Amino acid sequence: MLLFFAVGLLVHFVFFASIFDIYFTSPLVHGMTPQFTPLPAPARRLMLIVADGLRADALYEFDENGNPRAPFIRNIVMHEGSWGISHTRVPTESRPGHVALIAGFYEDVSAVAKGWKENPVEFDSLFNESKYTWSWGSPDILSMFAKGATGDHVFTYSYDANDEDFGAQDVTKLDTWVFDKIKEFFHAARKNQSLFSKLNEEKIVFFLHLLGIDTNGHAHRPTSREYEDNIKLVDEGIKEVVSLLKEFYGNDEKTAFILTSDHGMTDWGSHGAGHPSETFTPFVTWGAGIKYPQKVSAQQFDDALLKDCKLEYWKRQDINQADIAPLMASLIGVPFPLNSLGILPVGYLNNTEVFKAESMYTNAVQILEQFKVKMTQKKEVTLPFLFTPFNLLSDSKQLDILRKARSYIKQRKYDEAVSLCKDLIALALEGLSYYHTYDRFFLGVNVVLGFVGWASYASLLIIKSHCSLTRGISKEVKKPSHLLTCSFVAIGVLIAFFLLIQGCPWTYYVYCLLPVPIWYAVLREYQVIQDLVTLLLTFPLSNFVGYLFVFTLGIEVLVLSFFYRYMLTAGLIVFAGWPFITQLWMRAKSISLSWIVFCLLLAVFPLMPVIGRKPDIFLVMGAGLLVLLLSLFILASLIKRKDGFVNGALLLPLLQMLSIVLSMCVVYSTHNSLLRKQGLPLLNQIVSWMILASSFVLPVLSPTLLLQRLVSIFLSSMSTYLLLSTGYEALFPLVLSCVMFVWIHMEQETLQQSGVSCKQKVSNIQFTYNTDISQFRQLSLDDTRRAFFLVFFLVTAFFGTGNIASINSFDLASVYCFLTVFHPFMMGALMVWKILIPFVLVMCAFEAVQLTTQLSSKSLFLMVLIISDIMALHFFFLVKDYGSWLDIGTSISHYVIVMSMTILLVFLNGLAQLLTTKKLRLCGKPKSHLI
């Protein structure tokens, strides 16, 4: 059993990892020649200002008094420079946003997980190509580009990471720090000859990273006074810095300025997904080499930004975020970043037509270089007769287009040259994508073969070990022939040899060779397959089609619930009608009524808005009070029935109730403290961490009687969940637990109705680690429903309070009782535990269902894994690499979620067994006897 689960876990880890090799491989290639425009650059220096988390509408719009929110920037837009919207891509996070801005390419998602503050892969950037770069701001962002730079020419000045505190009284100090340090820097440069001479070189960059707006947005929401005031402060700070630079350089008009943002923010203060509020960021540029404002009579865009911000008559030029890197390189005359995939927005340039054409030509050659390197790499590791080149951009066509573009420039047909270069860039980008995804179909087929094989083997194992389906049909057991073994060994050797001569990475061996032993194990059970086919042929066709239809419908509902949360509501309403379908209503009216009420209550949650959007501390307090009332009622009923409470054993539930009260006090106190901008009180922080730690220990101190242990797990989980709640979601585990308690009773009633005798009442059943195997019965069709119920409740536990397929569903306010200083991995771990608490409650209830229905945990668990794997396969086919970035990101995250859930099931099953069956005895405590 242990070996089987270990192998199963390994197989699922491989399936999970495959998505990163198929969809998340790094797009970077190395070995290109740097390309730069062979003409004098319009600017000697550039200042890049990134206001982290700044939404486009928030910068351009007017305040409640009808005045511009950022008067200086508005003046630039109307009188000095050009403006537009910079469109970011999913995931809208700080790291990928800055990589796109400064290096010109969209980093693959896996890089975020590999290292938040470090470079998991080496890449070239504008800073690296510059003569000198001075940067001020957050240590998380600055260190990323300083580490990747060659030589000692990127200088960073950052504040302490602990200053990034969401609960601080005034987080605008993060921005005032940057502005103050720049003023000190230029003041000191006048007295430092070495620094002064460096500052007067050409091809230099100043980078200002302003984190205050993002921090205020997370802490107070983008519609708050704090967020809006921070924008005004940044506007004033930029005005002073621009004035300072003009004075320092004697108004030489050789400085270019760019103001933009790495990502926007939703109304509820988060980012990460593809909502327009997250992907629309401001882009304002002025100074040397930049066009002055252009008046237009009308312009068409799909959004209402122009009208809302009263900018209908000033020309708006939208760009992609990666296009900013080649624009900056062109302005100061440095080589385009080697890995940049951005297309130079020539509409922003105020320069000669020949400069624009030459810059565009350089851009095309620089991207074409990457295409050629990528093609060469793929050609080297593919057998000649199997290699399929990208025909739209053959070697001859490349030369032809480049010759033609050069000819146009010589003939002064600059517009035609620019247009031709854009066509070449489009083809090169398409070709890069083609070679980047070259092995995708091959790997996908192998993963699907492994998936289907694994699900088939698990199904055969259930039928062989836990069903009476094949009994009496065939008695003799034949050993597998040597021919089968030799055939699969030969197939394995051939695959390995094929991969070896192509020089494939080691992961390809895993994906391609894994299906071989899986299908060998399937075909070894040909006797079971034969018996199953014989039995199915005797099965009435109408019944078979009916069961298949119901099973397929159930799987489709689960899959659709990932896209539409209200499908969970529909499913729970159907569940509420279960007692009427099975006649349980006649047998156990009170339990059936409870089931209907709690299922309908749980059905309300998927219809609610995603958590965090409307925080309500009073709902958290209400949930705490309801938990206290429920625990008092359970305590009183158990004492009244004398169901095993010892004289001293009342101490534990009372301690857990005290923990609930403490959690409520901490939540209320922390909320008020943050509202008053006094930060997170140290005492609250200590109590929160103590409650979290005790929630793992207290349940295993309680008696192993089924109901008492489950109540203990529920109370401990709720004390932590309250600390992590911001609104109505605090009620969710309470209602879910009530459904779980009733489900346990319902399953026992169903079992008795089907004629299986139950030896004990639910209240008398003990959780034991080594359950007597003789108690187990054979599987029936009703057990498939039990497995489906578990998967449905797990999906409900995950999506019940929000579509966490979007990163922006994570609300940082959830962890403010534990910490307010920005620590991405610690905050992430706490949020993951918040997601897992409902999972743990469902899995513990499932342990109880296995006991009450006298069912082998292995067989039921295998059925659950098969249902999850069918869902995962479904999502594997739904993964997209086309369409909007929101669609692509969502499709990949759905597969990752369902695969994570499958892997988590194994760990959660172990955790549930530990929480339900283990009894921790405190040293020196005398043995106690039941009353």
Side-chain angles (χ1 to χ4, degrees), residues 507-565:
T507 49
Y508 283 38
Y509 287 84
V510 178
Y511 305 138
C512 298
L513 291 172
L514 187 65
V516 177
I518 290 174
W519 279 103
Y520 172 67
V522 170
L523 294 178
R524 273 187 65 186
E525 305 294 342
Y526 63 90
Q527 192 65 54
V528 181
I529 298 168
Q530 192 181 331
D531 292 348
L532 181 63
V533 171
T534 309
L535 188 86
L536 288 175
L537 290 172
T538 62
F539 205 67
L541 185 65
S542 58
N543 287 17
F544 176 73
V545 171
Y547 286 133
L548 191 65
F549 174 75
V550 171
F551 182 75
T552 309
L553 184 69
I555 295 288
E556 287 306 310
V557 167
L558 286 171
V559 169
L560 283 170
S561 67
F562 276 66
F563 298 95
Y564 313 104
R565 287 171 59 215

Side-chain angles (χ1 to χ4, degrees), residues 72-369:
F72 177 72
I73 295 301
R74 182 129 191 133
N75 183 63
I76 293 289
V77 168
M78 297 173 82
H79 300 107
E80 288 187 44
S82 295
W83 77 287
I85 299 294
S86 165
H87 295 272
T88 70
R89 282 191 184 179
V90 177
T92 44
E93 297 289 345
S94 289
R95 182 196 164 90
H98 281 89
V99 169
L101 281 169
I102 298 162
F105 71 94
Y106 301 103
E107 195 173 35
D108 63 292
V109 182
S110 59
V112 179
K114 287 175 189 170
W116 192 272
K117 300 174 187 179
E118 301 295 334
N119 284 341
V121 283
E122 291 301 322
F123 58 83
D124 191 26
S125 71
L126 177 85
F127 297 171
N128 193 36
E129 295 291 355
S130 68
K131 186 79 176 281
Y132 295 107
T133 293
W134 288 272
S135 53
W136 296 265
S138 165
D140 298 346
I141 298 299
L142 303 192
S143 61
M144 206 164 75
F145 295 98
K147 189 196 172 200
T150 53
D152 187 24
H153 66 281
V154 177
F155 307 101
T156 62
Y157 304 93
S158 54
Y159 39 76
D160 187 65
N162 291 326
D163 291 339
E164 297 172 23
D165 187 348
F166 297 107
Q169 187 166 6
D170 181 20
V171 294
T172 58
K173 66 182 180 185
L174 299 176
D175 295 343
T176 50
W177 183 95
V178 171
F179 294 129
D180 290 344
K181 289 293 174 187
I182 292 170
K183 290 169 191 172
E184 288 172 20
F185 174 80
F186 279 101
H187 183 69
R190 294 181 190 278
K191 300 169 187 175
N192 184 330
Q193 191 54 47
S194 169
L195 180 58
F196 188 81
S197 62
K198 282 179 182 176
L199 286 170
N200 280 285
E201 295 268 8
E202 58 181 22
K203 300 178 181 179
I204 62 171
V205 177
F206 304 109
F207 172 46
L208 281 62
H209 177 248
L210 307 170
L211 190 62
I213 292 172
D214 183 72
T215 312
N216 261 320
H218 284 306
H220 306 288
R221 309 289 184 262
T223 51
S224 66
R225 167 65 59 194
E226 288 84 357
Y227 186 86
E228 292 169 358
D229 286 348
N230 204 149
I231 294 172
K232 289 180 179 176
L233 182 140
V234 164
D235 181 68
E236 192 59 40
I238 293 171
K239 182 181 177 181
E240 290 174 11
V241 167
V242 170
S243 174
L244 178 74
L245 254 76
K246 283 182 178 177
E247 185 193 334
F248 185 86
Y249 289 108
N251 284 319
D252 67 350
E253 295 188 346
K254 284 291 180 181
T255 311
F257 297 91
I258 287 177
L259 168 66
T260 186
S261 176
D262 53 348
H263 55 75
M265 192 172 280
T266 59
D267 290 341
W268 53 97
S270 61
H271 52 83
H275 191 272
S277 62
E278 299 163 271
T279 59
F280 280 35
T281 60
F283 181 73
V284 181
T285 179
W286 68 100
I290 297 295
K291 266 190 182 172
Y292 288 104
Q294 300 166 72
K295 282 285 192 84
V296 288
S297 55
Q299 46 187 337
Q300 287 294 318
F301 286 93
D302 294 335
D303 52 77
L305 189 78
L306 287 169
K307 192 177 178 184
D308 293 347
C309 302
K310 299 177 184 175
L311 288 167
E312 304 102 308
Y313 306 114
W314 278 266
K315 188 177 179 182
R316 166 179 158 184
Q317 300 178 65
D318 284 15
I319 59 172
N320 290 319
Q321 197 173 43
D323 300 343
I324 297 171
L327 175 65
M328 294 191 292
S330 177
L331 286 170
I332 56 172
V334 298
F336 287 34
L338 292 173
N339 305 113
S340 171
L341 299 175
I343 303 168
L344 178 67
V346 286
Y348 276 97
L349 292 174
N350 180 25
N351 213 314
T352 59
E353 293 302 312
V354 66
F355 181 85
K356 291 177 187 177
E358 284 287 359
S359 296
M360 205 71 216
Y361 183 84
T362 306
N363 193 188
V365 172
Q366 172 258 325
I367 292 175
L368 189 64
E369 280 277 313

Side-chain angles (χ1 to χ4, degrees), residues 273 487 517 541 547 578 599:
S487 300
L541 185 65
Y547 286 133
W578 175 41
C599 275

